[in-house]
Amino acid sequence: MYLSIVQPDFSQVNAARAMTNEQDMHRNIQALFDSDRQSINVLYRFIPSKDIRRAVICVQSDVTPTSTSDLKVISCVDARERISFIKKGMLLRYDVLLRPVKRHDGRSTLIRDKKSRTEWVEALAQRYGFEIVAITEVSRTSKTMFHSGERSGRIDGYRYVGTLSVQDADLFKKAYETGIGRDKAYGYGMLMLEI
């Protein structure tokens, strides 16, 4: 697994447009690789800055990315050794964007109640081999997305930070590598950890 820092070149039209359309952001991220997202576990998270020229994107993948005209790879580190240190019972600080949703009549809707969202995150953690020790819902995120010729839509979610406890090391390592929850292709589900 590789962790990379990528910087958009906002003089390029595609890079600038990706700031307002998550579908374009997904395309730009995938252009860094010669493979589809799922087969090499590509996850990303946009890290904003007051000065937009300093904004970066954290990218996680099974292979190293290659710079494009829109995105420049600033750094890339091999994180396999980092993962090997993860053991059952470890307490880790986390930061993650998630989409707490419930299914009804084949449609997904964002959970409105904060307590219910927290319970949803706690249940999700159990499926991925960890337990939430502390959780803070920091902010709501809203991402605009549209495909050519279609109406635009929004993908809403929340940012969570706190502490987790590893319950099943193998299951948790897999979750760390592949992401958790829904809409990983659009910047959700990447577990950012302090190891």
Side-chain angles (χ1 to χ4, degrees):
M1 183 176 102
Y2 296 90
L3 296 172
S4 308
I5 301 296
V6 175
Q7 188 162 42
D9 178 353
F10 292 113
S11 69
Q12 300 294 320
V13 173
N14 286 339
R17 191 171 51 211
M19 294 298 102
T20 59
N21 180 8
E22 207 62 35
Q23 184 64 35
D24 287 334
M25 178 68 81
H26 168 70
R27 273 194 215 95
N28 285 355
I29 297 294
Q30 283 310 120
L32 297 166
F33 305 97
D34 189 22
S35 189
D36 65 289
R37 190 199 72 76
Q38 287 182 313
S39 65
I40 57 171
N41 295 312
V42 176
L43 300 168
Y44 70 90
R45 169 101 170 259
F46 178 71
I47 309 296
S49 172
K50 288 180 182 176
D51 179 354
I52 190 68
R53 294 168 299 176
R54 294 177 185 240
V56 295
I57 303 166
C58 293
V59 179
Q60 180 177 305
S61 56
D62 290 346
V63 299
T64 58
T66 304
S67 294
T68 66
S69 59
D70 296 322
L71 300 174
K72 179 183 178 186
V73 179
I74 297 172
S75 68
C76 181
V77 296
D78 187 336
R80 286 175 290 193
E81 185 176 332
R82 181 182 177 151
I83 293 170
S84 70
F85 290 118
I86 296 172
K87 305 284 185 244
K88 181 177 179 178
M90 279 184 83
L91 292 177
L92 300 168
R93 301 266 316 140
Y94 68 88
D95 186 330
V96 64
L97 294 182
L98 293 171
R99 293 199 63 231
V101 295
K102 58 184 175 184
R103 305 264 312 157
H104 181 71
D105 292 335
R107 296 186 56 151
S108 295
T109 56
L110 204 61
I111 298 170
R112 295 184 189 274
D113 176 62
K114 185 175 182 176
K115 182 176 182 288
S116 298
R117 287 193 301 268
T118 300
E119 290 169 354
W120 181 92
V121 174
E122 289 169 344
L124 182 71
Q126 294 294 321
R127 291 200 309 263
Y128 287 103
F130 65 100
E131 183 177 277
I132 299 293
V133 176
I135 185 169
T136 301
E137 188 177 274
V138 177
S139 57
R140 183 171 174 160
T141 64
S142 187
K143 300 178 180 214
T144 303
M145 187 179 92
F146 56 92
H147 299 271
S148 300
E150 294 183 22
R151 287 186 352 196
S152 64
R154 273 193 358 226
I155 306 174
D156 294 328
Y158 292 86
R159 179 181 173 208
Y160 295 95
V161 299
T163 307
L164 62 83
S165 171
V166 178
Q167 301 299 303
D168 180 323
D170 291 335
L171 189 56
F172 179 73
K173 286 176 189 179
K174 181 80 171 158
Y176 184 35
E177 292 173 347
T178 62
I180 64 173
R182 303 171 57 88
D183 293 304
K184 293 183 278 251
Y186 302 114
Y188 289 98
M190 181 178 171
L191 273 169
M192 301 180 82
L193 304 175
E194 286 181 27
I195 297 179

